[in-house]
Amino acid sequence: MVIKKRQILWDWTNTPGPQNQGIPDKINQVPFGGNSPIASLVNWNTWVPPELQDRVPFRPMVRALEDTQGQSWANIQNSKYPIILYFNEPERQNISPEQARDIWYSHMLPLRNNKGKKLGSPAVASDNNGRGWIEKFMSLISRDPPDFLCLHYYSTNANDAIKYIQDMHNKWPQHKMVTEIASIDRNYPAVVNFTVQICNWLDSQDWVFEYGLFDFQRQVADGFVSPAAQLMDGNGNFTELGKMYVHQQPMGAPGGANAFIALNAVMSGAFDVESNGDAKAGEPASHEPSDATVETQKAPDAAENGGLVEFSIAAALNLDQQKALDIHNNKRKGKGLQPLAWDNQLAQAAENYAKHLAQIGKIEHSSGDQRPNQGENLASVPGSDTPLTVSADMWVGEDKNYHDEPIGQGNFVSYGHYTQCMWKSTTKVGMGLAKDAKGGVYVVGRYSPPGNFIGQKPY
């Protein structure tokens, strides 16, 4: 099932005007339609780009004070579209929360009360000034809150972005629109990692109504925005990143096998889980498959792999290991699956790789040749006395996101850990952990035989 929540942030300079040639035909690079993840288009204005041709809903914006009068306000009054956005970074336009409150009641609320429109809040920057502004505004209109809380976020760290968005949701539990988000890293691979991680996470959150990656325009907007994050080149053609955004769901980093992709599942504010996207048809998929063709293939058996590696069965387990194993097996029992046996050799391999992750300070999957005939789950678990237990509980907790689809279909980014834990032909598991210099704990789970074969089901 396609998740439609991505906005096209279509810069006004793309539309022809009196002093602007525009590139209206370039909008045809967007794959509008039922199989596209694109939900709407925003241009920070009240007027509709003619080139849109109603292929997705337009989101008009009362961006500044001047939009509350004249032709701009007439456009809003006459808009046929169901959602109206309100003020873009007002704290940087010297619009006070009190001014915004007054206009909210005089202009915006009548749109909801009399015309049935849904309203987005002002979208502020994520710095202290922006946070203070939205805090004040939301308190001033607490009896008539917006339908959507609109957010902006720019940084080099997707984990920080996720925490900020989650924190804002916890504070104001309305549905969210992340109307601007992007990496400001100047390193292109880092930008890709940020983009893949944040888009896959936003796609997986039911309370995120829509989000927009900044932005489709021919020039870098300013010195703050990263040239490496451009979605459109100087000729108006979509960059590799722009094509990924409009075409891929889930998103996967380019470059073939072992390209790093990240998914963050935030559990009670404590979890970071990241995965790569090196899945190929007929091979075990990682937790975010690439855009590889999904085919039904037979999972390799021992003969096809030159024989299974011999493993040593564990003796006594420590409390954390035993609880983690029990969590796997209790969940498997509920589906009538055979229990997994703890394997010391798998656990040692997992620990060795966890030490590698702690050394490099980030999560990325091992390559297939580093773990022959082994599946892999990864997690980062700060501040826990039982990291194996917490990790296993999170992985099997993804069962709520799995709806009996073949691997590679549906929202695979949200259930891939669970399906590896539950793979019917998997018989053994081992888990290991390592701490980095800052006390962060990296957890690795290894499974044999592996699961997550594209086109197949776990049970």
Side-chain angles (χ1 to χ4, degrees), residues 246-308:
V246 301
H247 286 288
Q248 289 187 6
Q249 193 182 68
M251 289 181 70
N258 304 325
F260 171 63
I261 303 173
L263 163 70
N264 263 41
V266 177
M267 304 290 290
S268 304
F271 252 105
D272 297 329
V273 183
E274 301 182 358
S275 311
N276 79 342
D278 55 359
K280 296 183 178 68
E283 294 183 357
S286 60
H287 307 130
E288 291 114 44
S290 70
D291 54 358
T293 302
V294 176
E295 300 176 2
T296 300
Q297 298 273 349
K298 180 184 178 184
D301 59 21
E304 290 168 341
N305 282 288
L308 292 174

Side-chain angles (χ1 to χ4, degrees), residues 69-102:
Q69 56 190 342
Q71 184 58 52
S72 291
W73 185 246
N75 292 340
I76 293 294
Q77 289 278 66
N78 297 324
S79 176
K80 67 180 181 180
Y81 298 105
I83 297 173
I84 309 294
L85 306 181
Y86 183 43
F87 285 162
N88 191 72
E89 299 191 353
E91 77 281 9
R92 300 187 178 191
Q93 299 186 58
N94 294 318
I95 301 172
S96 71
E98 290 77 13
Q99 277 182 292
R101 172 205 56 198
D102 292 344

Side-chain angles (χ1 to χ4, degrees), residues 285-289 328 331-332 337 340 376-377 394-409 411-426 447 449-453 456-459:
S286 60
H287 307 130
E288 291 114 44
H328 280 81
K331 187 66 73 169
R332 289 174 67 89
L337 302 173
L340 301 180
E376 183 172 83
N377 279 345
M394 185 280 299
W395 292 336
V396 302
E398 292 178 358
D399 62 340
K400 63 183 180 295
N401 303 320
Y402 181 64
H403 306 293
D404 199 39
E405 60 264 55
I407 298 301
Q409 297 183 20
N411 190 13
F412 184 46
V413 299
S414 69
Y415 67 71
H417 300 89
Y418 165 72
T419 49
Q420 172 57 87
C421 293
M422 300 292 286
W423 203 258
K424 58 191 172 189
S425 60
T426 297
Y447 301 83
N452 281 347
F453 289 92
Q456 298 186 25
K457 297 182 179 182
Y459 39 77

Side-chain angles (χ1 to χ4, degrees), residues 53-196:
Q53 299 177 357
D54 259 350
R55 287 176 282 189
V56 290
F58 177 63
R59 305 288 185 229
M61 180 185 292
V62 181
R63 182 181 60 83
L65 288 174
E66 54 263 32
D67 292 324
T68 63
Q69 56 190 342
Q71 184 58 52
S72 291
W73 185 246
N75 292 340
I76 293 294
Q77 289 278 66
N78 297 324
S79 176
K80 67 180 181 180
Y81 298 105
I83 297 173
I84 309 294
L85 306 181
Y86 183 43
F87 285 162
N88 191 72
E89 299 191 353
E91 77 281 9
R92 300 187 178 191
Q93 299 186 58
N94 294 318
I95 301 172
S96 71
E98 290 77 13
Q99 277 182 292
R101 172 205 56 198
D102 292 344
I103 296 170
W104 181 257
Y105 282 104
S106 64
H107 286 63
M108 302 300 290
L109 270 184
L111 296 173
R112 182 161 73 191
N113 296 336
N114 301 331
K115 295 178 179 288
K117 304 297 185 184
K118 291 189 175 183
L119 304 177
S121 74
V124 299
S126 59
D127 57 18
N128 290 336
N129 192 28
R131 296 184 198 196
W133 194 101
I134 196 64
E135 180 106 18
K136 179 66 173 177
F137 174 78
M138 292 295 283
S139 70
L140 291 171
I141 63 158
S142 60
R143 60 189 174 90
D144 297 291
D147 298 285
F148 305 99
L149 183 69
C150 297
L151 306 174
H152 288 180
Y153 201 87
Y154 294 86
S155 78
T156 60
N157 190 313
N159 294 334
D160 292 343
I162 289 170
K163 184 178 187 306
Y164 174 74
I165 297 167
Q166 185 75 60
D167 287 348
M168 295 295 274
H169 179 61
N170 292 340
K171 190 171 186 63
W172 295 293
Q174 293 99 325
H175 276 79
K176 302 296 176 292
M177 282 196 198
V178 184
T179 48
E180 292 183 24
I181 192 166
S183 171
I184 56 172
D185 204 301
R186 267 50 182 174
N187 177 271
Y188 180 65
V191 168
V192 170
N193 291 343
F194 177 101
T195 304
V196 170

